[in-house]
Amino acid sequence: MLKGRHFKTLQDYSTEEITHLLDLSIELKKRMKAKEKYRPMEGYSMAMIFQKRSTRTRVSTETGISYLGGHALFLGKDDIQLGKNETLKDTALVLSRFNDLILARVFDHSDIEELAEHSSSPVINALSDKFHPLQILADFMAIKEHFGRLGGLTIAWVGDGNNVLHSIMAAAPKMGMNLRIATPTGYEPMQDVTDRCKEDAEKHGTQLVLTTDPKEAVRGANVIVTDTWVSMGQDDEKERRLRDFAGYQVTMGLAEEASDDWIFMHCLPRKQNEVDDEVFYSDRSIVFDEAENRMYTVMAVALALLGLDNS
Ligand code: CP
Ligand code: NVA
């Protein structure tokens, strides 16, 4: 049902489509754990453009696609002509002649839009400054594995109004989840993302709270999520950001406000600023399950966009 579609943001995906990708990811996890030989991507190739660093996204994709029998080609920022001698448009036109899928990690989200416009193969957003949809599929899979459901749960975000938060906002209401968001003044999520999230929350009857008070956000939450205060490309703002986020560190003290069954999540890489070791390495933390699930979810997305999900 998703054959030929791009995967730019979860805003473009319905409740049923996200559920399908999560179910497929869970099935793939079972197959991989059983060491089943499953090679639907034999004869298929994916180009992976990385304009920024990556551990999880790069390794989970390269490994996952090889388990499926396909080929994933890593193209770092100094490996191809892009950005120096060639435009994004021409890169998209050429790479999609060779490859069945293009996955890209970029700075500006408009680069994902441009790639998608000119590529004859589906484009997968592997992180832009606005969205990180693959991460949120893995996160929702980990939440579903932990609680057995998504609907009715409350997510609290404590931190920056960044790409990871935007992707949670794009998907949570559709999955029946409430959102309580605390960001410092000046670090709120983008207005257009908030507007869409509000519409979705009304449509699906879920709660959306925006505050500057971490305690208020965490109150009654089942899931506490944060991310780095200094995203890739923001290094020159580091000093100011560390100052502006004072009081936003996730600690056991802050979590006292949460529901008794609270868990902690973080997409990684993590710094101690936003969460202390006591929470990060505690039994409440499912951060390494999230990381593991990055592989099954990107495998599911690749199969679905290629129309290989029923094989
Ligand atoms: N969470 C995530 O995308 O990690 P990487 O930057 O290591 O890919
Ligand atoms: N917000 C972070 C996520 C890293 C996976 C960044 O964009 O750097």
Side-chain angles (χ1 to χ4, degrees):
M1 76 178 168
L2 298 175
K3 187 175 177 185
R5 292 263 299 273
H6 296 299
F7 187 76
K8 299 183 288 187
T9 162
L10 291 169
Q11 284 181 334
D12 301 337
Y13 282 64
S14 67
T15 306
E16 292 70 30
E17 289 164 346
I18 295 171
T19 303
H20 173 65
L21 290 172
L22 292 175
D23 289 348
L24 188 57
S25 306
I26 290 166
E27 182 197 318
L28 285 163
K29 186 168 185 172
K30 279 197 200 118
R31 287 182 191 261
M32 293 304 118
K33 294 278 183 199
K35 289 279 168 205
E36 197 180 310
K37 236 188 182 167
Y38 182 58
R39 305 270 190 266
M41 274 189 73
E42 242 163 41
Y44 288 85
S45 179
M46 174 196 276
M48 306 193 297
I49 300 172
F50 278 87
Q51 296 185 331
K52 295 177 180 171
R53 282 177 187 283
S54 169
T55 297
R56 279 141 290 271
T57 309
R58 179 198 173 164
V59 179
S60 63
T61 306
E62 218 168 297
T63 309
I65 298 305
S66 87
Y67 284 144
L68 292 172
H71 178 63
L73 184 62
F74 177 76
L75 305 169
K77 68 176 172 43
D78 297 319
D79 294 328
I80 51 175
Q81 305 280 12
L82 175 65
K84 293 239 161 46
N85 295 320
E86 201 160 27
T87 61
L88 204 57
K89 176 176 175 176
D90 292 358
T91 305
L93 290 168
V94 171
L95 289 182
S96 59
R97 294 277 177 125
F98 307 132
N99 295 278
D100 305 288
L101 293 169
I102 297 181
L103 174 141
R105 169 166 286 197
V106 299
F107 285 90
D108 295 342
H109 188 69
S110 60
D111 285 358
I112 292 290
E113 299 283 1
E114 196 178 338
L115 273 173
E117 190 186 335
H118 299 292
S119 167
S120 54
S121 303
V123 169
I124 299 172
N125 179 1
L127 182 146
S128 65
D129 60 355
K130 191 165 181 184
F131 293 112
H132 195 6
L134 287 172
Q135 181 66 49
I136 276 30
L137 277 187
D139 292 359
F140 282 15
M141 179 180 173
I143 295 173
K144 203 168 175 179
E145 287 172 329
H146 182 87
F147 287 105
R149 69 193 162 100
L150 296 178
L153 296 174
T154 297
I155 302 181
W157 175 273
V158 179
D160 191 14
N162 69 11
N163 45 6
V164 174
L165 173 61
H166 287 161
S167 284
I168 294 176
M169 293 172 78
K174 284 181 207 162
M175 305 313 286
M177 301 167 93
N178 304 308
L179 263 180
R180 304 177 64 87
I181 297 166
T183 53
T185 306
Y187 296 92
E188 295 84 2
M190 289 169 74
Q191 195 56 50
D192 65 310
V193 177
T194 302
D195 291 345
R196 270 292 283 278
C197 185
K198 270 189 194 148
E199 273 171 38
D200 284 347
E202 268 167 37
K203 190 166 153 203
H204 294 274
T206 62
Q207 191 191 42
L208 172 65
V209 173
L210 296 158
T211 174
T212 53
D213 178 2
K215 279 196 172 161
E216 191 190 340
V218 165
R219 202 156 297 142
N222 310 99
V223 183
I224 303 175
V225 199
T226 190
D227 183 18
T228 183
W229 296 341
V230 188
S231 282
M232 289 181 275
Q234 297 175 333
D235 287 331
D236 50 355
E237 299 171 23
K238 186 172 173 183
E239 217 173 289
R240 173 167 59 80
R241 284 178 164 268
L242 294 190
R243 236 185 4 250
D244 292 348
F245 282 85
Y248 272 71
Q249 192 190 42
V250 177
T251 60
M252 287 294 178
L254 180 65
E256 274 174 16
E257 306 286 329
S259 169
D260 287 345
D261 60 0
W262 70 275
I263 56 169
F264 174 75
M265 301 184 78
H266 191 308
C267 64
L268 313 179
R270 166 254 180 178
K271 300 271 175 0
Q272 287 200 8
N273 301 313
E274 67 267 11
V275 54
D276 69 4
D277 277 358
E278 195 185 0
V279 170
F280 187 77
Y281 292 110
S282 72
D283 292 347
R284 301 283 190 162
S285 172
I286 63 162
V287 297
F288 298 107
D289 297 324
E290 292 176 75
E292 179 184 341
N293 287 346
R294 290 296 310 276
M295 187 168 82
Y296 313 116
T297 43
V298 74
M299 292 163 82
V301 170
L303 290 183
L305 303 188
L306 291 170
L308 299 171
D309 41 342
N310 292 317
S311 52

